[in-house]
Amino acid sequence: MVSNMIRILIVDDSKTSRKMLRGILEDAGMEVVGEAANGQEALKLFTSLKPDIVTLDITMPVMDGINALKKLMEVDRTARVVMVTAAGQKGNVVEALKIGAKEFVAKPYEVDLIIDVIKKAMDK
Amino acid sequence: MFINLFGKYLISKNIITSEQLQSIRKEQSRTRVKLGLIAVAEKLLTEKQAEEINRKQALMDKRFGDIAIEQGFLTLEQVSHLLDLQGNPYLQFGQIATERGYMTFAQIEDALQQYQNEHHFSEEIMTGIKNDDLDVIIPAFVHEDTIKEAAGVAIRTLNRLISTDLWMGDSYMTKLLTCDRLACQDMEGDLETTIGLAGMGDSLLSVADAYAGESFQTVDMDALDSVGEVVNIMDGLYATALSEQGKEIELLPPSYFDEETTLRGEEFGVIPLEIRQKPVMLVISYGSKIYFCGE
């Protein structure tokens, strides 16, 4: 049976943030297919899991969100990526949208907003 | 904030006991209604508008009333009316303390006058303290101009996201500080700065538990990760404020220390806080980063 659930890969170095986001998405009927703590892990999981959406934190060790986004776009130009930012990262958000991110959302997470943003990214 | 600033002063003067303060605190938090709820009850806002403001407030360093005015939902007069209905923390304190027989109103007035004299506070500052106005209270306790803005953003963020049960003491500058646990974040670019929350023992649980919405047993790396997310949000808002002044800064990943750590640097600021009655130090450097034991 093929599931219609939106399949999501969460990329964030913060375990707290990953857990919070997983809870929000699963409560909304979406499927979290994997979690990565940095850009490098995300690239590996993206290829193997083929998620519908990647939520990608910007500030991370090892490989940050902007570099991970560039590499994801090289692998798959159609990848749907939602950037996750702290306030004050306007410059990074603009750069990410130019590189190919579909949407962005700021922390702390607001339930309705994040669901709305994921759905919008699916429609793009 | 008023209840903790004045309440701790009264305890230090042996005027009330910590148990009596706890009882006043409990009653006040039980009866204090949020501004948004009052606005909806008064039919000045719809529930949807109140939710929209709450949403914006989580992402902005602004008060509920200020956002409501900016959005055109309320006028300044309406916000003042709602604040009146919400009640003045000083009068609420007075009502509870007198009803319970802890102090007479004349004793409260006398003690407040002594508090003002000892701190050399102006009438304007005292009005701000009585009204829990953080925009007045924070600069009265943070004495170094360079860290006032970051301290303001950080403490207002704690007040919004973690707890309104806050106390703050006078800030000081130092080149050395030792703590048991620390979550901090460097920023670089047009300005180098480090902001962090440091705790003794398990005091940072007051932040970690409230943000993550769970009960950590101890301040381990998972709990510090939760504190680090709060620091990250503070820093993001501070970066926004700096960006509006033409300074562009980049946030680096947060760092965590789950054992005794010594912070060193050119002079950095320390603001003693109590968050949900647990001692926490807000550390802020301006113009250079803070380094840690072993770095």
Side-chain angles (χ1 to χ4, degrees):
Chain A
M1 194 175 79
V2 179
S3 166
N4 289 324
M5 281 171 124
I6 300 174
R7 301 172 68 258
I8 298 170
L9 170 64
I10 298 175
V11 187
D12 197 315
D13 59 322
S14 163
K15 191 175 169 184
T16 307
S17 277
R18 294 199 304 269
K19 196 172 172 184
M20 283 172 135
L21 187 52
R22 175 185 278 272
I24 293 170
L25 298 175
E26 288 180 346
D27 284 351
M30 299 177 189
E31 184 187 2
V32 176
V33 291
E35 293 183 14
N38 60 58
Q40 238 169 43
E41 285 181 17
L43 288 171
K44 281 183 201 158
L45 288 178
F46 179 78
T47 314
S48 60
L49 298 171
K50 298 185 173 43
D52 298 318
I53 298 272
V54 180
T55 66
L56 189 54
D57 186 27
I58 290 184
T59 308
M60 291 185 294
V62 186
M63 184 191 289
D64 68 22
I66 296 292
N67 281 313
L69 175 67
K70 284 178 188 163
K71 295 206 181 289
L72 278 174
M73 287 293 136
E74 284 169 17
V75 174
D76 180 359
R77 281 301 307 168
T78 65
R80 295 188 188 94
V81 179
V82 172
M83 302 307 290
V84 176
T85 74
Q89 294 186 300
K90 210 188 287 175
N92 282 323
V93 169
V94 172
E95 189 186 353
L97 293 174
K98 277 186 193 160
I99 296 167
K102 302 290 185 203
E103 288 285 340
F104 69 95
V105 65
K107 290 180 189 174
Y109 295 122
E110 202 284 313
V111 178
D112 293 343
L113 192 66
I114 180 81
I115 303 299
D116 198 37
V117 162
I118 298 273
K119 286 180 178 165
K120 269 193 205 162
M122 277 302 288
D123 291 340
K124 285 188 176 175
Chain B
M1 185 78 92
F2 170 81
I3 192 169
N4 287 325
L5 291 174
F6 188 49
K8 273 179 72 95
Y9 174 78
L10 293 174
I11 291 171
S12 75
K13 300 288 175 187
N14 295 317
I15 298 173
I16 61 170
T17 64
S18 53
E19 289 74 23
Q20 287 172 331
L21 176 60
Q22 187 62 10
S23 146
I24 297 172
R25 197 183 272 129
K26 210 169 164 182
E27 178 63 13
Q28 195 181 31
S29 70
R30 196 182 67 78
T31 52
R32 192 164 174 84
V33 183
K34 286 188 171 177
L35 209 62
L37 205 61
I38 303 172
V40 173
E42 287 287 297
K43 301 198 187 313
L44 291 175
L45 287 181
T46 63
E47 275 187 52
K48 203 174 164 193
Q49 285 171 326
E51 278 168 20
E52 190 180 329
I53 297 168
N54 282 331
R55 204 159 44 225
K56 285 184 185 295
Q57 208 189 2
L59 305 173
M60 298 165 97
D61 180 31
K62 288 186 178 169
R63 293 177 294 195
F64 186 96
D66 292 334
I67 297 173
I69 293 169
E70 266 180 26
Q71 293 292 304
F73 294 156
L74 295 174
T75 64
L76 182 60
E77 291 70 29
Q78 286 171 324
V79 171
S80 301
H81 170 62
L82 293 172
L83 286 169
D84 285 344
L85 291 176
Q86 190 182 38
N88 172 313
Y90 157 65
L91 292 175
Q92 287 173 338
F93 179 96
Q95 187 175 337
I96 300 165
T98 52
E99 274 175 7
R100 297 189 175 198
Y102 301 153
M103 295 175 79
T104 64
F105 215 83
Q107 286 172 321
I108 293 172
E109 291 279 88
D110 279 352
L112 203 59
Q113 187 62 55
Q114 281 175 32
Y115 175 82
Q116 179 176 4
N117 295 344
E118 284 184 27
H119 288 83
H120 307 291
F121 284 151
S122 65
E123 288 302 326
E124 190 189 352
I125 290 174
M126 287 308 293
T127 303
I129 289 174
K130 287 177 181 177
N131 284 300
D132 271 356
D133 186 343
L134 294 184
D135 292 344
V136 175
I137 295 170
I138 295 166
F141 286 89
V142 179
H143 307 293
E144 297 73 25
D145 286 341
T146 52
I147 61 165
K148 270 188 181 167
E149 187 167 19
V153 171
I155 295 169
R156 286 190 294 270
T157 302
L158 290 168
N159 187 65
R160 272 198 317 279
L161 295 184
I162 304 301
S163 177
T164 54
D165 183 359
L166 287 176
W167 170 88
M168 68 184 294
D170 285 302
S171 71
Y172 59 93
M173 299 299 280
T174 185
K175 293 181 177 178
L176 200 66
L177 181 77
T178 300
C179 64
D180 290 342
R181 306 281 190 276
L182 174 72
C184 61
Q185 185 172 34
D186 291 336
M187 290 181 274
E188 58 187 26
D190 292 338
L191 174 71
E192 280 202 338
T193 169
T194 303
I195 298 182
L197 289 171
M200 302 306 282
D202 279 336
S203 67
L204 282 174
L205 284 179
S206 60
V207 179
D209 287 0
Y211 182 72
E214 55 185 286
S215 293
F216 294 100
Q217 295 302 307
T218 183
V219 183
D220 54 14
M221 290 309 250
D222 286 351
L224 286 170
D225 178 275
S226 173
V227 179
E229 282 300 282
V230 176
V231 173
N232 187 41
I233 291 166
M234 290 172 181
D235 287 354
L237 292 168
Y238 182 46
T240 301
L242 290 173
S243 161
E244 283 162 7
Q245 298 159 25
K247 292 192 182 87
E248 292 307 323
I249 59 172
E250 190 81 18
L251 281 65
L252 302 181
S255 306
Y256 310 117
F257 300 86
D258 64 352
E259 55 191 25
E260 190 178 283
T261 303
T262 302
L263 291 73
R264 293 172 198 275
E266 290 175 31
E267 287 218 310
F268 58 90
V270 180
I271 299 135
L273 302 174
E274 281 188 16
I275 304 169
R276 299 159 84 200
Q277 295 147 60
K278 303 284 184 216
V280 171
M281 290 171 283
L282 172 63
V283 293
I284 302 171
S285 69
Y286 184 93
S288 61
K289 290 179 191 164
I290 299 175
Y291 293 88
F292 309 96
C293 186
E295 281 196 352

